[in-house]
Amino acid sequence: MDATRCSRVRPPVRSRFAIPRSASEARCLIEDLVRAREPAHGEAGPATERMADVLLVTSELVTNAIRHGGGVVGLWAALDADGLRIAVRDHSDDLPFVKPRTPDDPVPVGGYGWPMIRRLASEVHVTPCPGGGKEIRVALPVF
């Protein structure tokens, strides 16, 4: 990710709420949150692979909410002792699913994001929201 695209001047915070308009905007918010955490003396920052996983999962959650969920209602993120927790809420009551692949599909499109999210996250919860929509919460190791 191009460092000039995301603001680095925000004060360090441990949690954040936003309504991102795009996956790119959501990635910047999450990257800012994670990088704003001041590592303790001698503690390393996030490993490149872990940061890549965090940004990929963020992208997939927000993209799915935009493409399949009627838009993002909110994105919450917080750092705790176990890592990063992200929740994305959308307008759709439809639960995520994996589209079965068939030999008849000449070029299968999509269907990779949800299994990837489930593999990379240490926790995944999908909860219906009162009044409609759903919230998908994930936990990811960061440090």
Side-chain angles (χ1 to χ4, degrees):
M1 171 171 275
D2 181 7
T4 61
R5 293 179 56 202
C6 299
S7 170
R8 300 288 178 250
V9 296
R10 292 187 189 111
V13 293
R14 296 210 185 273
S15 65
R16 189 159 289 154
F17 167 78
I19 302 175
R21 294 169 299 209
S22 67
S24 174
E25 185 178 332
R27 286 191 307 270
C28 285
L29 290 165
I30 297 300
E31 184 174 20
D32 284 349
L33 175 67
V34 172
R35 294 207 187 279
R37 178 184 178 269
E38 291 294 329
H41 181 68
E43 182 181 345
T48 302
E49 297 82 17
R50 287 193 177 167
M51 182 58 89
D53 290 349
V54 163
L55 297 177
L56 186 57
V57 168
T58 299
S59 224
E60 284 296 326
L61 288 171
V62 171
T63 298
N64 288 345
I66 292 168
R67 289 183 69 197
H68 307 293
V72 177
V73 174
L75 176 145
W76 294 262
L79 284 167
D80 62 22
D82 296 324
L84 177 67
R85 298 188 180 280
I86 302 171
V88 175
R89 190 174 285 186
D90 66 33
H91 292 283
S92 176
D93 296 332
D94 296 336
L95 300 177
F97 68 94
V98 177
K99 179 182 171 186
R101 303 263 182 235
T102 66
D104 302 344
D105 290 337
V107 179
V109 176
Y112 298 102
W114 185 242
M116 182 207 56
I117 290 167
R118 293 180 61 204
R119 273 193 311 274
L120 294 176
S122 56
E123 296 176 30
V124 177
H125 303 280
V126 181
T127 307
C129 296
K134 68 181 165 300
E135 181 175 278
I136 300 177
R137 288 173 285 135
V138 300
L140 296 148
V142 178
F143 300 98

